[in-house]
Amino acid sequence: MVGVTEFLSNTTTPKIAALLLGKQLRLATPTGILTAWITETEAYLGATDAGAHAFKNHQTARNQALWQPAGTIYIYQMRTQFLLNLVTQSAGVPECVLIRGIEPVEGVAQMQRNRPVPLANLTTGPGKLMQALGLDKTLNGTPLSSTTLDLRLTPARNPQQIATSPRIGIVNKGDWSTAPLRYYVAGNPFVSQVKKRDQDLAQHGWQATII
């Protein structure tokens, strides 16, 4: 069976961003376990990527986690929001995937206590999902772990269709502003900026079988 570290370091970051769709995030909290399917991601390609924090190998105390091994959690703050990233390559290669959207599974009531909004708006964006999970920067620079935040490769969902688009909020970065490095489950309602007419309310864009 492929382990998480091998899964995150055995191929390119864009491919990992696509493969993460349908995998499960699992968070252990004092009040119980929270789980969710990953529905939306963005790939950031390190030193060559003008939209990435590590562009031109720019290294600071803030982004130090990017230079750690695959499976390291990279959380940064943007204004009042925290954003969750997973480092995807070997130590010294500062590439990562931003988790932009998740579909809640276990612990929905706790997520809504953390972020008291209707379910439809609970986790449809990277800052929203962190509020729902109750996460701040505490786990930044730590490895994925079953005792804190983990990535589960099984069980998993298979998207019926993976859609791509430019990353959100990457402007004035030349070709990197239009590069199709955002991946999401087509039809899933737990995706940022998804229009109601494009939502698959019956299957949420998943194939029927959980694997």
Side-chain angles (χ1 to χ4, degrees), residues 13-153:
T13 297
K15 187 171 181 180
I16 290 169
L19 289 172
L20 280 171
L21 300 176
K23 302 302 186 291
Q24 189 178 91
L25 282 181
R26 179 185 184 276
L27 179 66
T29 79
T31 57
I33 300 298
L34 309 180
T35 66
W37 308 117
I38 298 174
T39 59
E40 181 184 6
T41 60
E42 289 180 349
Y44 287 87
L45 308 185
T48 63
D49 182 349
H53 289 174
F55 182 49
K56 295 183 178 179
N57 278 314
H58 179 66
Q59 190 169 1
T60 67
R62 179 196 189 207
N63 69 8
Q64 185 63 39
L66 286 170
W67 276 263
Q68 301 307 305
T72 299
I73 298 166
Y74 172 44
I75 297 173
Y76 65 90
Q77 187 170 1
M78 187 172 66
R79 303 182 185 89
T80 61
Q81 296 184 329
F82 298 99
L83 283 75
L84 172 64
N85 302 259
L86 303 180
V87 177
T88 54
Q89 301 299 323
S90 58
V93 182
E95 299 187 14
C96 68
V97 169
L98 169 68
I99 309 300
R100 279 203 61 93
I102 57 174
E103 179 178 334
V105 180
E106 296 178 78
V108 177
Q110 178 62 50
M111 293 187 203
Q112 288 187 295
R113 284 192 290 271
N114 293 338
R115 177 175 159 78
V117 299
L119 180 61
N121 189 37
L122 185 60
T123 54
T124 55
K128 295 176 183 180
L129 69 88
M130 290 290 277
Q131 291 173 3
L133 294 173
L135 288 175
D136 54 19
K137 290 181 66 175
T138 302
L139 297 179
N140 179 50
T142 66
L144 290 164
S145 169
S146 60
T147 62
T148 54
L149 179 66
D150 204 7
L151 174 68
R152 296 294 178 93
L153 304 183

Side-chain angles (χ1 to χ4, degrees), residues 180-202:
L181 294 173
R182 173 177 172 246
Y183 304 83
Y184 60 96
V185 180
N188 192 283
F190 295 93
V191 169
S192 57
Q193 301 184 5
V194 64
K195 295 180 173 62
K196 286 189 176 181
R197 67 171 181 267
D198 296 327
Q199 294 179 14
D200 171 13
L201 297 180

